[in-house]
Amino acid sequence: MGDGSSGPTMDLMRSEPMQLVQLIIPIESAYRTISYLGDLGLFQFNDLNAEKSPFQRTYAAQIKRCAEMARKLRFFKEQMRKAGLSPSTKSLRSGDIDLDHLEVTLGELESELIEINLNNEMLQHTYNELSEYKLVLQKAGELFHSAQSIVAAQQGELELYNTTEQSVERSLLLEQEMTMDPSKQVKLGYISGLVAREKSMAFERILFRATRGNVFLKQTVLENAVVDPVSGDEVEKNVFVVFYSGERAKNKILKLCEGFGANRYPFTEDLNKQFQIISQVSGRLAELKTTIDAGLAHRSNLLQTIGFEFEQWNFLVKKEKSIYHILNMLNMDVTKKCLVAEGWCPVFAKDQIQNGLRRATLDSNSQIGAIFHVLQTKESPPTFFQTNKFTSAFQEIVDAYGVAKYQEANPSVYTIVTFPFLFAVMFGDWGHGICLLLATLYLIIREKKLSSQKLGDIMEMAFSGRYVIMMMGIFSIYTGLIYNEFFSVPFELFGRSAYGCRDQSCRDAYTAGLVKFHATYPFGLDPKWHGSRSELPFLNSMKMKMSILFGVAQMNLGIIMSYFNAKFFGDNINIWYQFVPQMIFLNSLFGYLSLLIIVKWCTGSQADLYHVMIYMFLSPTDDLDDNQLFIGQKFFQILLLLSALAAVPWMMFPKPFLLKKRHEERFQGQSYARLDSNDYPPEIEPHSVSHNHEEFEFSEVFVHQLIHTIEFVLGAVSNTASYLRLWALSLAHSELSSVFYDKVLLLAWGYNSIIARGIGLCVFIFATVGVLLVMETLSAFLHALRLHWVEFQNKFYVGDGYKFYPFSFASLGQDDE
């Protein structure tokens, strides 16, 4: 960690050089200093008050004040969401806003908005009640009118019947009625209102049981749903009228109405009074509607005014809160006049930070300038890779496995090429690749607009990885041209086919094979091979061997990366006792297998490579006979086998003894070289040299090396086999694509019907998009991810570092608190 301040290295292979810095800031310029550092976004503050709770810190009151303003802004945002409005992003002004004035403004707006909401709720409640009352008056009046008509008709019939036969009886009854006690005459009462339709049947049954059938209930259905005054939701209801006798029955009915949430309204039998009340209610409703509309218009105008300034206010409050949060992480010095800050920054940012400190001192009219002091430490710095919108997604893929240790080689440099390439090996179809490319080009062209919008979870992931998917599409087009597959259909893009059928019918193409008539097809798979006898065995053999070649090459790259890591840290022990034997072991077995594959392809030999590799271990001294590919192969195989066997103890035993010897020399005074933790391998450093005079745990180091050796030996076999997934998924993708084309599209096209062809085309499109472009893409992506995380990165990548998170206003998202 140097003190120089040259420009950024922009080296994605290793982290930017970092330094631990102490800032001594006068109190009067502290606020502006933190603000300028937030604008710069290149300083990560350490919390020097970690032992204190949030309420014990110096600026707890200011944090609480900002939190209260943030609460009011969240209230405004929720009100705008309910009103169907969104904050404007085109009205951000660059002028400064006084926080005190903003606090007063937010308080006044909140009070006004709350008052408007309360008034609107009361008016709306009254309006809903009167609307229900009007419906009850109309429907209950219809019930009474129909009942009176029925009674009048029945009385007319009775009068005609009784005129001739019951004159004597009538006189007796009239006499009885005249002598009857008026207090004993029964008078019926009634209650009217509305009940939810879904509760009406239960309401009727329980009403009947509670009164033992001594009531008469009449209901009528409302055609349209009404707004309930209590809940404010639209509910389908029935108008009811309950006739009863006695106070006891009335009390029971009232309790049941309360239990079922039935709203009761008064009703009169007098027809004139009914019309009068309906007229009054209608007039009152019209007045309330006008008042409510005016209130809603005023509320909408107020929310639009708030929305115009919302983003600016929201950013200012978050900025203030973040500044005071950082100030709470600083220590007060003994003079109580300065604040002490510690944190990490890139070496290249030294001049920019010092310029910001000087600017803060001038703007705050401070008599004392801030002090920038570089601290020497053995603490591991954070890792900082400067990425752009193209490389950031690949870096996220690596960081999901683990953040690189400081100055550790970054796998994302190779992942940019190897990840989409391995994906394309499994997804090779240039028709499908074009579909992926077009979809991502749409996201890239509209990225400015889409980046400012809220997308769904799946769409957000696709948008953040748009450049990864673009590379996957480009490489899929390349491998698809090699496989010569366009939605499983071959084309003669680079010339005519070198092969032809034996006769014009071409019926024996799959059984007898093809005959070569012309020069070899210049690029990729010959189009005539699709569907022929030679296709499946050749593709199986080619893709399987190609998977092994890619796997061995990438694993070798991983081991070479471990060499560069060891070379960078000056770790000669790992170079000679880890890198060298690993390279020898891997290439003595699987490197040799790769060599045999290439030689067989070049010479056209019919040697059985399975037999060669198996008997290389079982009978290394036997003659190879027809399986010999080159002169001296037998001796060469014995030499490679002995080298692989010797590489295992080479990895296992010397390294622990050499580490013990180095430790003893340093702590017994035989070597006065500077103690630098980088001289130790990263994987054992935390255990063996965490303290200067800690005893060296030889058994722990030896067991660790033993496990590491066994893991590498077994992993060399399993990892090589794991790369065969490239072969398996490539064949699966090709066969699925062929099935959809042959058994769906071509089958439908065989019918002489537009409907059948249309259905077949729709099924083919949905199957291609749903299965091949979505499910197969996800499957190949996950398998490529596994090959990078496990088979590639475990050869050299520790990934136990931590990210550089600078204090920056640019990182204040809309939903951050």
Side-chain angles (χ1 to χ4, degrees), residues 621-637:
T621 58
D622 290 355
D623 292 333
L624 297 174
D625 298 330
D626 294 337
N627 292 320
Q628 183 168 332
L629 290 167
F630 55 89
I631 300 174
Q633 182 179 353
K634 175 182 174 181
F635 173 77
F636 188 58
Q637 287 186 175

Side-chain angles (χ1 to χ4, degrees), residues 85-342:
L85 302 175
S86 58
S88 174
T89 58
K90 299 180 181 179
S91 60
L92 296 180
R93 297 190 304 239
S94 58
D96 293 333
I97 300 177
D98 182 48
L99 193 65
D100 295 331
H101 180 263
L102 177 60
E103 185 177 20
V104 174
T105 302
L106 293 180
E108 292 175 351
L109 290 173
E110 183 189 32
S111 301
E112 184 177 359
L113 192 56
I114 290 175
E115 184 178 358
I116 292 174
N117 289 341
L118 290 175
N119 291 336
N120 182 66
E121 288 176 3
M122 290 190 299
L123 291 173
Q124 194 66 47
H125 182 271
T126 306
Y127 181 85
N128 294 335
E129 281 187 337
L130 289 176
S131 299
E132 286 194 345
Y133 188 25
K134 183 178 179 180
L135 291 171
V136 170
L137 290 172
Q138 293 172 344
K139 296 297 181 180
E142 293 174 1
L143 290 175
F144 271 84
H145 180 70
S146 62
Q148 288 173 355
S149 301
I150 294 172
V151 170
Q154 291 176 351
Q155 285 179 350
E157 293 176 0
L158 288 173
E159 287 177 359
L160 291 174
Y161 178 76
N162 291 333
T163 52
T164 57
E165 298 182 4
Q166 296 183 349
S167 58
V168 178
E169 294 178 1
R170 179 178 297 179
S171 61
L172 292 174
L173 288 171
L174 289 173
E175 183 179 355
Q176 183 178 0
E177 289 177 2
M178 292 176 64
T179 58
M180 184 180 294
D181 186 2
S183 63
K184 294 183 179 180
Q185 293 181 359
V186 178
K187 186 177 181 180
L188 294 179
Y190 57 87
I191 296 174
S192 58
L194 292 97
V195 66
R197 190 173 302 167
E198 61 181 11
K199 300 179 181 179
S200 59
M201 296 300 296
F203 177 69
E204 184 174 356
R205 287 196 302 268
I206 295 179
L207 187 64
F208 182 82
R209 293 175 184 174
T211 60
R212 298 182 180 180
N214 292 322
V215 295
F216 176 71
L217 173 66
K218 189 67 176 178
Q219 296 190 68
T220 182
V221 177
L222 295 177
E223 294 81 4
N224 300 320
V226 296
V227 180
D228 187 76
V230 178
S231 65
D233 299 327
E234 287 193 351
V235 182
E236 293 183 341
K237 292 189 175 185
N238 293 349
V239 174
F240 68 88
V241 180
V242 183
F243 296 92
Y244 63 89
S245 174
E247 288 295 322
R248 187 174 181 183
K250 178 182 179 181
N251 293 333
K252 289 182 179 179
I253 295 170
L254 294 177
K255 290 181 179 179
L256 287 174
C257 288
E258 292 179 3
F260 279 86
N263 300 326
R264 295 174 288 106
Y265 297 97
F267 180 78
T268 178
E269 298 181 35
D270 191 336
L271 196 58
N272 293 328
K273 288 185 177 179
Q274 288 181 22
F275 288 128
Q276 183 181 359
I277 294 173
I278 290 175
S279 178
Q280 292 176 355
V281 170
S282 299
R284 179 64 176 151
L285 284 172
E287 293 176 0
L288 285 173
K289 181 65 175 175
T290 303
T291 307
I292 290 172
D293 290 343
L296 291 176
H298 178 56
R299 179 174 180 269
S300 179
N301 292 333
L302 182 62
L303 289 175
Q304 286 179 359
T305 303
I306 294 173
F308 189 74
E309 304 287 349
F310 180 84
E311 291 296 341
Q312 186 180 13
W313 292 347
N314 194 38
F315 179 77
L316 176 62
V317 171
K318 288 179 179 179
K319 179 179 177 180
E320 290 290 319
K321 187 177 180 181
S322 63
I323 290 174
Y324 286 115
H325 175 71
I326 295 297
L327 288 172
N328 274 335
M329 298 169 67
L330 310 187
N331 260 341
M332 189 79 69
D333 75 334
V334 292
T335 64
K336 304 295 182 181
K337 295 181 180 180
C338 293
L339 291 174
V340 179
E342 285 186 10

Side-chain angles (χ1 to χ4, degrees), residues 488-539:
S488 79
V489 180
F491 286 89
E492 294 183 346
L493 295 177
F494 303 99
R496 61 178 180 175
S497 171
Y499 294 86
C501 299
R502 299 175 185 271
D503 54 32
Q504 292 183 351
S505 64
C506 222
R507 294 177 180 175
D508 58 350
Y510 191 76
T511 56
L514 301 171
V515 178
K516 188 172 182 179
F517 293 105
H518 309 289
T520 304
Y521 192 69
F523 184 82
L525 189 67
D526 194 294
K528 287 290 186 180
W529 280 30
H530 284 268
S532 68
R533 178 187 178 188
S534 308
E535 179 195 15
L536 193 58
F538 172 77
L539 284 180

